[in-house]
Amino acid sequence: RQYEQSLQHIKQAFMVYRNIGDTRGEGNCLGCLGPVYAEIGQLTQAIDVITQAKEISRELRDRRFEGVQLGNLGHVYMEQGSIELAIECYLQAMAISREQIDPFNEVSLLVNLGIAYCRVDKILTAINYYQLALEKARQISDKNAEGGCLANLAFAYISQYNLPKAARFANLALK
């Protein structure tokens, strides 16, 4: 019920922005619609509106917003099981995060890349991304992200049956 209400409100706002010729407002609305569609399982519609938002961000030369939309596309592709497309989006979004000097988003994208590589059983690559995320999280003193990275490393080592390393990272995550 709340999702349908959210969709209606965002669509109404979109039409207002379209009627007054506010392209940025249209893009923001499309960017908001995507995650809502994804949440209710309408992945094709989510991809469509996020792609439109990404194109608007490129027209406006808004790199930060473009990076957000690439990250959102990555999430939807992951949900859809299109892991290679998700990885491609996450890599593009990460390049923008680095360009925009957004280390918090960079940590998140590194973790997402690790998760994506775990999904396709490229555990060593996943571990590498988790390690990079952990280093960055420590650099910016993000304790929550650091704990998440440590937990992800523990799970990755469990999947490799390396229980001593898994236990070490799990214990660190709990501190």
Side-chain angles (χ1 to χ4, degrees), residues 24 56-64 66:
R24 184 172 302 281
I56 289 173
S57 71
R58 286 181 176 165
E59 287 173 26
L60 297 173
R61 300 185 199 297
D62 185 338
R63 296 286 284 162
R64 188 198 63 75
E66 180 183 353

Side-chain angles (χ1 to χ4, degrees), residues 18-49:
R18 173 160 280 175
N19 288 336
I20 64 172
D22 184 341
T23 307
R24 184 172 302 281
E26 287 180 50
N28 286 335
C29 288
L30 291 168
C32 290
L33 281 171
V36 177
Y37 279 130
E39 190 65 31
I40 61 175
Q42 295 180 13
L43 302 181
T44 302
Q45 282 184 286
I47 290 168
D48 182 52
V49 295

Side-chain angles (χ1 to χ4, degrees), residues 44-144:
T44 302
Q45 282 184 286
I47 290 168
D48 182 52
V49 295
I50 295 169
T51 300
Q52 290 177 55
K54 181 186 68 162
E55 293 308 314
I56 289 173
S57 71
R58 286 181 176 165
E59 287 173 26
L60 297 173
R61 300 185 199 297
D62 185 338
R63 296 286 284 162
R64 188 198 63 75
F65 190 62
E66 180 183 353
V68 168
Q69 298 317 311
L70 285 162
N72 287 342
L73 268 177
H75 296 324
V76 177
Y77 285 134
M78 283 285 286
E79 186 73 22
Q80 188 181 58
S82 302
I83 309 303
E84 293 303 320
L85 289 173
I87 289 169
E88 185 180 315
C89 288
Y90 290 146
L91 288 171
Q92 290 176 43
M94 190 168 57
I96 292 171
S97 280
R98 286 180 174 161
E99 170 191 302
Q100 298 292 307
I101 310 169
D102 185 352
F104 291 95
N105 195 42
E106 189 178 335
V107 169
S108 177
L109 290 163
L110 289 165
V111 169
N112 290 336
L113 282 161
I115 292 167
Y117 280 106
C118 274
R119 284 262 197 89
V120 292
D121 291 324
K122 293 185 179 178
I123 305 302
L124 293 177
T125 303
I127 288 170
N128 182 50
Y129 278 112
Y130 292 145
Q131 287 283 7
L132 291 170
L134 178 61
E135 289 170 23
K136 182 63 74 172
R138 286 178 171 162
Q139 285 174 8
I140 60 175
S141 301
D142 186 338
K143 294 294 185 189
N144 288 332

